[in-house]
Amino acid sequence: MTKKAFLITMFTFCASIMVSAKVRIPFGKVDKIEIVADLPNTDKYAVSEGSKEYLDLATLHQEYNIAWIIPAWVTKEPKLVLSKKDSDEYYELTDQELAEIIKENKLDKESLLQLGLYTRYGGKVILLLVIGLIIYGIIPGKDEEEEEEKTEKVQPTKA
């Protein structure tokens, strides 16, 4: 038991030294742009006149994010915009322009505005699991030594 306590104390001491290095986990609101429909590469969807870069239909939403990969919750619902692939730039559309693009390309607006399961609920599930593990770790359990002592005290009687 003393060896176990000593090891835990040393581990805690070493961990506190490592934590003091102040590794920061980024969190906060992040704007996410995801391409949802590939539009034809025509002059109508070119970034500028005579350009070889073309725009596609994308969703823009804002989420509260932890460590860039865990979306905790969506703070602004998605809306459709035009965007280049692998770019943070986007162009907002009026309702009339959006309706025209959807009609020309035979797209379903409702299915385009759907967020993925992980984006919508994944971060909440991960946070609940972490909180559950913390609570489980706080609840005291039985030590193996206590169980062994109880089994040694009870001795069978001979008949």
Side-chain angles (χ1 to χ4, degrees), residues 108-147:
D108 182 24
K109 183 179 179 180
E110 296 302 319
S111 66
L112 294 175
L113 288 173
Q114 297 282 327
L115 290 176
L117 185 67
Y118 179 72
T119 303
R120 184 67 74 179
Y121 303 110
K124 293 177 183 111
V125 171
I126 291 172
L127 288 174
L128 285 174
L129 286 173
V130 168
I131 291 170
L133 287 173
I134 290 170
I135 291 172
Y136 179 75
I138 292 173
I139 297 173
K142 294 181 180 179
D143 287 342
E144 292 177 14
E145 293 176 6
E146 289 177 7
E147 289 179 15

Side-chain angles (χ1 to χ4, degrees), residues 3 88 91 143 154-155:
K3 288 181 182 180
D88 290 339
Y91 303 92
D143 287 342
V154 179
Q155 294 183 3

Side-chain angles (χ1 to χ4, degrees), residues 8-20:
I8 290 173
T9 305
M10 291 305 296
F11 177 75
T12 306
F13 178 72
C14 292
S16 66
I17 291 173
M18 285 189 273
V19 169
S20 68

Side-chain angles (χ1 to χ4, degrees), residues 9 15 18 22-23 37 50 63-64 70 77 83 86 88 90 93 101 103 109 114-115 119 133 138 143 150 153 157:
T9 305
M18 285 189 273
K22 296 186 182 181
V23 175
E63 61 187 35
Y64 191 84
I70 303 173
E77 290 300 316
S83 178
D86 303 325
D88 290 339
Y90 65 92
L93 298 167
I101 291 172
K103 186 177 179 182
K109 183 179 179 180
Q114 297 282 327
L115 290 176
T119 303
L133 287 173
I138 292 173
D143 287 342
K150 288 180 182 176
K153 290 179 183 176
T157 56

Side-chain angles (χ1 to χ4, degrees), residues 33-37 56-60 79-83 90:
I33 300 173
E34 297 176 23
I35 303 293
V36 292
D56 292 315
L57 201 57
T59 57
L60 169 70
K79 66 178 180 178
L80 292 171
V81 295
L82 288 176
S83 178
Y90 65 92

Side-chain angles (χ1 to χ4, degrees), residues 70-110:
I70 303 173
W73 59 84
V74 176
T75 57
K76 285 188 183 174
E77 290 300 316
K79 66 178 180 178
L80 292 171
V81 295
L82 288 176
S83 178
K84 295 187 294 185
K85 288 183 182 174
D86 303 325
S87 174
D88 290 339
E89 295 179 17
Y90 65 92
Y91 303 92
E92 293 198 23
L93 298 167
T94 64
D95 291 336
Q96 182 182 5
E97 291 171 334
L98 181 60
E100 187 179 307
I101 291 172
I102 288 174
K103 186 177 179 182
E104 283 179 4
N105 296 293
K106 299 174 185 161
L107 300 170
D108 182 24
K109 183 179 179 180
E110 296 302 319

Side-chain angles (χ1 to χ4, degrees), residues 6-76:
F6 177 73
L7 287 175
I8 290 173
T9 305
M10 291 305 296
F11 177 75
T12 306
F13 178 72
C14 292
S16 66
I17 291 173
M18 285 189 273
V19 169
S20 68
K22 296 186 182 181
V23 175
R24 300 219 181 240
I25 298 174
F27 59 92
K29 292 180 182 178
V30 178
D31 290 331
K32 293 282 187 166
I33 300 173
E34 297 176 23
I35 303 293
V36 292
D38 189 23
L39 298 176
N41 294 339
T42 60
D43 290 337
K44 184 176 182 177
Y45 302 115
V47 173
S48 61
E49 212 170 296
S51 174
K52 296 291 182 189
E53 293 182 311
Y54 299 98
L55 299 171
D56 292 315
L57 201 57
T59 57
L60 169 70
H61 72 277
Q62 189 178 66
E63 61 187 35
Y64 191 84
N65 207 310
I66 300 171
W68 295 301
I69 57 171
I70 303 173
W73 59 84
V74 176
T75 57
K76 285 188 183 174

